Every structure is written in structure tokens, then in C-alpha cells.
Amino acid sequence: MTGAAALRLGVVGAGGFATFLTGALLDLPDVTVTVVADPDTDRAGRLAANLAARPVPDWRALVTADDVDVVVVATPPAGHAETTLAALRAGRHVFSEKPLATSEDEAAAIREAVAATGRVLVVDHVLRYNPVLRALARLRDPRFAATPGNRSDPLLGPVRRLAFDNDASDEDLGPEHWFWDERVSGGIFVEHGVHFFDAADALVGATPESVQGMLGQRPGTDLVDLAVATTRYPDGAVATFAHGFSHAHRCERQLMRIDFGAAEARVTGWIPVHADIDLWTDDAGAALVEHLPARADELLAVDGHRLRDPAVTVSVHRHAGPANARERGRQRQLPHHCRITLDLGGEAAKAYVYAESVRAAMHDLVRCVRTGDRPAAGITEGATAVTVAAAAARSAHEDRTVHLRRSHPTTACPS
């Protein structure tokens, strides 16, 4: 994409996430930061100085500035919709930190504004740009399976069940932090859960038809620090999500387990950095598995995400098994048990993988501005995640299952 003039970014917000985000983009040749807006003028000045940009105190001046092509929304969630709508109506493209909005009505208004203006919007749903989850999508893609030996059946079948457990830290979330104020954050389902509702949609390749939510309170207080939801998809697949914010940093743990019928994937880290896949397959599938180490870069590739080659491994173990395995009542020849390990460097690589996923999301925005293509995490994906999260919250408060209206189809992880 280099050669065309770099897109000029105006960053709304100069806090910790804005600093992290702009740091991830420093060597992306297709963008340059020109303006930083924050009512804290000292903070805006410091970040602007680091980026050779100019600070302004009012974001409204930024969205109409002549030297801004893309507005980057990096504020607490309550301000996302207002800023995004103003930027779109001013003719600017938008890169928004998740969630896109804190309510379904706001998300719908943004959807209408994108359609009316034709601007490109990318939501920072970093899991859409994660190499491990992208690899799982490729292993379900017949095009990837067809490369060696003209095999046409994907290695992994449809997702039957997905479970994500997130035992997260609250050490950086003091009692006055905006995270705990639903008027600012939207609540755990909206502020945090959108990542995983969206990731599940990408892996399943569909959006849920119903959702059930439940909330838990910290003992002896009215503080909601646990949110659990279950979604059901039109083909009968079910996904469950649990997010608890009550742990020390050293006790944090996250695990995503995905059941593909004859295969199971176990993904660790809320920023996925490692996955083990156990599967039963036939002779052609075993041959495909054996070729995966040589295709590691292809398997894990995400445009704009620079893999650290020494930290990426795919290991395979092949064992002979019974020749009469059954999958969902169908007689099939599945004699081989295989294990595939995808490793981006473990916990030590988490910050790097996170930053590179942000970089890849911005790379996607630039690509779509120049080509007219649809981004992997665009308005449909961002708005759908808000809709599901808001429905989970409503279900929890009303103690009932919420049935979702048929929405615009979301995209599966691109291959």
C-alpha cells in the first residue's frame, strides 16, 4: 500500500490506550498522527510532542480539521458514539476502540451514518486480526485444505460449542475507575464482552439468534464483577462466556475451548498466543497435518501483522487409531489422531501480539480506504457485537432469554 500519501490521523483521547495505540502504529508507513485532542491539555501536549503532532483541547475541532483524514476514537466508551457520528458526518473515516457504542440505538445510528457517508469504519476488535484465531478459520476453509494433494474437505468441521472463561485482574481497576460505572463503560458485557461475542461469530460464521445473561456481585457489595452469557446460533451451535474481574495479576487465566466435533481446540490468553488442537482425521487429513510445519507462515498470516518467526511453531504428532470412528452418527474412516500446536511465543509475546493486531486493524482500514473493500472488523461486526452484548445485559437484568432480530450477516474470519 505504500506509495500513496499517508493517511493523517487525529487521535481523540491522550490516555493510556491512546499512547499504546499510537505506539503500535509508529512504523506503519501508511499513516501519520497530525492532531491529538484531550481536555487535559498537559496530557494532550505530551502525547502530541512524542508524535510530532499538534495538541487541541476540544475533539470537535479535531474532527473538522483540514489535516485529519481518519479520526481515532480512544476515549472511555460513553464518548465513542458521539465522536464517531461527528467524524463520519464531517467526512472522516473512523478507527474506533471497542465497543463501537454503549447501546443498540447508538450502534444503529452509526450504521446509518456509515451507509449515508460511504466512509470506512474499523472497530478495534483485535481478535479478528489475531494469527491464532485466523489459523483456526483457515483450518475450516476448503481452499486452504485443497493446496496439498487436492484435498477439498477442511481439516476442522463446523463449530458445535465454544466456551470462553476469563478470570481477569482488577488490580488496575480501583473503585473510582470508570470501568465500574455502567453509564460510562456500558457494563462488563458491553465494555469487555464485545471482543468475545465477535470472535465467536467469526469462528462460527454466523450471528446468534438468542442470548441468556447472568450477573454476579462481589460479596458484601453491590459491585458487579462477574458476567456470564450463553448464545445460541441458528445451526444449533452454542457458545458460553464468563468474565470475572476479581483476581490478582498473577492469578489471571483465560481459556477458550472450541468443539469442532472430531476436533477440539484449546486457546490460551485473552490475546491468544497459544493453541493446542486435537483431532481425528483420515489419511488425507493426516497428510495435510504433516505439511503444516512448512506452511506455518501461510497458516498464521494476517496482513499488517508481523510474525516473529523464531517464536512461531507448529508441531504435529500422528498416531494410528481405530478405523471405525463415528462423528455425529455418521460412519467415517477416522483412523489418525493428530495434535497441532500453534505458539506465538507464550505469555511473554502477549504485548507484542496485541500491538501487532492493532497495527493490522489500522492496516485494514488503510487498505479499505484505498480499495473500497470491506474491513474484517467493520460497521456490521462492531454493531452486531454491541447488539449481542446489550441483549446479554438486558437478559441478566430481566431474568429471561432475549431473542435477537435477524441482523446483517457478519463475516467469518477472512482466510
Side-chain angles (χ1 to χ4, degrees):
M1 290 190 299
T2 56
L7 293 179
R8 300 164 298 178
L9 308 184
V11 180
V12 179
F17 182 75
T19 301
F20 171 77
L21 183 150
T22 53
L25 306 178
L26 278 178
D27 61 352
L28 186 62
D30 303 294
V31 300
T32 183
V33 178
T34 53
V35 187
V36 175
D38 197 295
D40 184 329
T41 55
D42 289 340
R43 190 164 66 175
R46 285 193 299 271
L47 182 57
N50 290 339
L51 299 167
R54 62 184 178 89
V56 297
D58 190 346
W59 65 265
R60 294 169 183 82
L62 180 150
V63 300
T64 57
D66 292 337
D67 56 349
V68 170
D69 303 307
V70 180
V71 173
V72 177
V73 182
T75 64
H80 290 186
E82 182 184 12
T83 308
T84 296
L85 286 169
L88 292 168
R89 291 164 181 166
R92 306 304 188 257
H93 306 289
V94 175
F95 184 93
S96 176
E97 170 57 356
K98 58 79 198 164
L100 174 67
T102 57
S103 74
E104 294 175 81
D105 289 344
E106 289 177 340
I110 296 171
R111 190 195 292 272
E112 292 172 3
V114 170
T117 63
R119 300 295 87 186
V120 175
L121 180 146
V122 167
V123 184
D124 189 31
H125 281 255
V126 290
L127 299 186
R128 291 253 175 188
Y129 301 95
N130 178 271
V132 170
L133 296 191
R134 194 69 66 90
L136 292 179
R138 286 198 176 98
L139 294 175
R140 288 194 55 207
D141 189 338
R143 293 170 295 177
F144 184 85
T147 303
N150 296 316
R151 178 185 173 90
S152 59
D153 293 335
L155 197 60
L156 302 180
V159 174
R160 303 312 311 150
R161 191 170 78 85
L162 181 150
F164 179 71
D165 292 314
N166 181 14
D167 299 320
S169 169
D170 66 346
E171 284 192 31
D172 299 323
L173 302 173
E176 304 305 318
H177 197 285
W178 56 258
F179 178 86
W180 303 114
D181 187 346
E182 287 195 20
R183 296 166 298 179
V184 179
S185 70
I188 292 174
F189 284 130
V190 172
E191 196 283 332
H192 193 71
V194 289
H195 271 309
F196 308 98
F197 292 129
D198 180 60
D201 290 358
L203 290 166
V204 174
T207 58
E209 62 180 13
S210 62
V211 59
Q212 293 179 327
M214 187 171 292
L215 300 173
Q217 293 180 336
R218 186 165 297 185
T221 76
D222 59 0
L223 181 70
V224 174
D225 64 357
L226 176 63
V228 180
T230 300
T231 56
R232 185 180 65 214
Y233 290 85
D235 69 350
V238 172
T240 58
F241 312 84
H243 304 285
F245 289 83
S246 59
H247 291 69
H249 283 310
R250 62 183 179 276
C251 297
E252 274 202 330
R253 50 194 173 265
Q254 295 86 24
L255 175 66
M256 181 184 294
R257 178 183 175 273
I258 311 164
D259 174 15
F260 298 96
E264 175 199 48
R266 294 176 303 282
V267 182
T268 55
W270 90 258
I271 296 294
V273 291
H274 184 96
D276 289 314
I277 307 163
D278 280 293
L279 69 148
W280 288 94
T281 189
D282 56 15
D283 290 345
L288 172 60
V289 168
E290 289 180 336
H291 282 89
L292 290 181
R295 301 178 69 189
D297 288 347
E298 177 190 1
L299 177 64
L300 294 161
V302 178
D303 286 347
H305 193 301
R306 297 164 298 183
L307 288 171
R308 283 179 170 167
D309 291 341
V312 178
T313 63
V314 180
S315 60
V316 178
H317 305 279
R318 178 176 172 180
H319 306 282
N324 62 346
R326 290 178 178 271
E327 182 190 5
R328 294 180 64 81
R330 291 174 293 161
Q331 189 75 23
R332 295 192 59 189
Q333 300 298 312
L334 299 176
H336 305 296
H337 176 247
C338 302
R339 170 168 288 187
I340 304 163
T341 298
L342 309 175
D343 190 356
L344 303 182
E347 184 66 19
K350 176 179 167 182
Y352 176 81
V353 173
Y354 188 6
E356 286 296 301
S357 298
V358 172
R359 186 181 192 272
M362 182 62 76
H363 177 88
D364 196 20
L365 182 145
V366 175
R367 179 185 65 84
C368 293
V369 168
R370 294 180 177 169
T371 65
D373 290 344
R374 180 181 172 187
I379 180 58
T380 297
E381 292 71 33
T384 299
V386 171
T387 295
V388 176
R394 189 162 66 252
S395 168
H397 289 302
E398 297 177 2
D399 194 22
R400 67 181 181 89
T401 299
V402 172
H403 297 278
L404 301 172
R405 298 186 298 273
R406 184 174 296 276
S407 61
H408 299 267
T410 189
T411 56
C413 276
S415 61

